[in-house]
Amino acid sequence: MRYPVRSAQRLGAQVLQLLHDTGHGMFMLLEAFWFMQFALGKRSRQETFTQLYITGIKSLAVISVVALFTGMILALQTGLELRRYGQEVFIGSAVAVSMIREMGPFMTGLIISASVGSAIAAQLGTMAVSEEISALEVMSINPNRFLVMPRLVALIVMMPLLTIYTNILGILGGAVVGSTQLGVSFAAYMDNATQFATNKDLYVGLFKAFLFGVIITTVACHQGFMTTEGAVGVGKATRRSVIISFLVILVVGYMVTRLFYI
């Protein structure tokens, strides 16, 4: 009888820890949102612009490659199936709607969580194990204002902008495949794409991008603050940050799509 009891105890402890971590993350997020009114103040302006540059400009290279080939793959796979029915001209609508509604924010979220989110977790984790965060608290500097808020501002601003950039490159990548491999002219492709993609698709995709930015910031900063065990703990926190961000992005993306389209 010991094993079922111990298993139940471990499960209960894990549930309590999950609830504790969720509560800590939500409190940190709400406080960071409150401090956003000081984002362009004298004390926070430089750090805010630094995080905007790191999140946006320094991510353009990898996002460009991923976005272009995502659109090309969507166009090729969809076009090959539509060719069986002589309807390959409709790849424009398939790629545009898929990119704007789902793949654009989703791929951008995965890239940013793997690059920027992991960097945030590693940086804050290193500060936590070296007691720099404790030193900030001793000096009466709120870590959520000094560390979390600029990163939150950067991600919720840059994620929608990067998603728009991803959408454009993905649609153009599909146009390249359509004109070079499927016999669909650029004009026909773009006409079909603009005909079926709606404003609602764009707004839902940008809303997802905003939510993904909030998720990445919350998970990465929370994991960084909770880091222990020195260098080994920093590696674990970085790994957990990426994994949790991926899973939450998948679940939230599905729930938003179901909410707006079913």
Side-chain angles (χ1 to χ4, degrees), residues 4-5 11 21-22 39 84 96 107 126 129 149 161 172 179 182 197 201 255:
V5 172
L11 178 61
D21 292 344
T22 302
R84 297 183 180 183
M107 296 305 297
T126 302
V129 298
M149 182 270 291
L161 296 178
L172 291 178
S179 60
L182 299 171
D201 297 328
M255 292 175 64

Side-chain angles (χ1 to χ4, degrees), residues 3-257:
Y3 295 107
V5 172
R6 290 178 179 176
S7 298
Q9 289 176 340
R10 285 196 296 269
L11 178 61
Q14 291 173 355
V15 171
L16 290 176
Q17 184 63 44
L18 176 62
L19 294 175
H20 174 270
D21 292 344
T22 302
H24 178 272
M26 293 303 298
F27 177 79
M28 179 193 69
L29 177 63
L30 292 175
E31 196 170 18
F33 267 115
W34 166 254
F35 286 128
M36 282 177 62
Q37 59 186 307
F38 308 112
L40 298 180
K42 185 179 296 185
R43 296 174 56 186
S44 304
R45 184 186 306 132
Q46 181 177 355
E47 180 64 16
T48 300
F49 283 114
T50 299
Q51 294 301 322
L52 285 167
Y53 171 77
I54 292 172
T55 304
I57 305 302
K58 297 191 72 173
S59 302
L60 284 178
V62 63
I63 285 180
S64 298
V65 175
V66 173
L68 187 65
F69 278 92
T70 298
M72 294 172 69
I73 292 169
L74 281 173
L76 184 61
Q77 295 297 332
T78 306
L80 291 176
E81 291 301 314
L82 290 176
R83 176 180 281 179
R84 297 183 180 183
Y85 310 100
Q87 302 295 323
E88 60 268 24
V89 70
F90 289 105
I91 61 168
S93 61
V95 173
V97 172
S98 298
M99 289 297 302
I100 294 173
R101 184 189 298 180
E102 190 65 41
M103 295 304 296
F106 177 69
M107 296 305 297
T108 305
L110 294 189
I111 295 167
I112 296 300
S113 64
S115 56
V116 178
S118 62
I120 291 173
Q123 182 182 12
L124 299 188
T126 302
M127 295 179 68
V129 298
S130 61
E131 299 185 352
E132 294 180 46
I133 295 177
S134 299
L136 291 175
E137 295 174 342
V138 169
M139 293 186 292
S140 299
I141 298 175
N142 191 309
N144 291 335
R145 175 176 178 176
F146 185 70
L147 298 172
V148 180
M149 182 270 291
R151 291 163 174 80
L152 177 63
V153 171
L155 279 162
I156 65 177
V157 169
M158 296 308 301
M159 275 294 295
L161 296 178
L162 291 173
T163 297
I164 293 173
Y165 178 73
T166 301
N167 293 339
I168 293 172
L169 279 188
I171 293 171
L172 291 178
V176 171
V177 171
S179 60
T180 59
Q181 300 184 45
L182 299 171
V184 179
S185 67
F186 182 82
Y189 176 93
M190 295 305 298
D191 179 68
N192 195 264
T194 55
Q195 181 180 355
F196 289 94
T198 65
N199 290 334
K200 179 182 178 181
D201 297 328
L202 177 62
Y203 297 149
V204 171
L206 294 181
F207 178 62
K208 287 182 181 180
F210 170 82
L211 292 180
F212 294 166
V214 173
I215 290 167
I216 294 168
T217 307
T218 305
V219 172
C221 291
H222 175 264
Q223 292 298 323
F225 283 151
M226 296 295 103
T227 302
T228 56
E229 303 177 12
V232 175
V234 173
K236 291 180 179 179
T238 304
R239 179 175 177 271
R240 286 196 301 267
S241 172
V242 176
I243 292 174
I244 295 172
S245 296
F246 277 21
L247 294 177
V248 178
I249 284 172
L250 281 169
V251 173
V252 171
Y254 167 78
M255 292 175 64
V256 172
T257 300

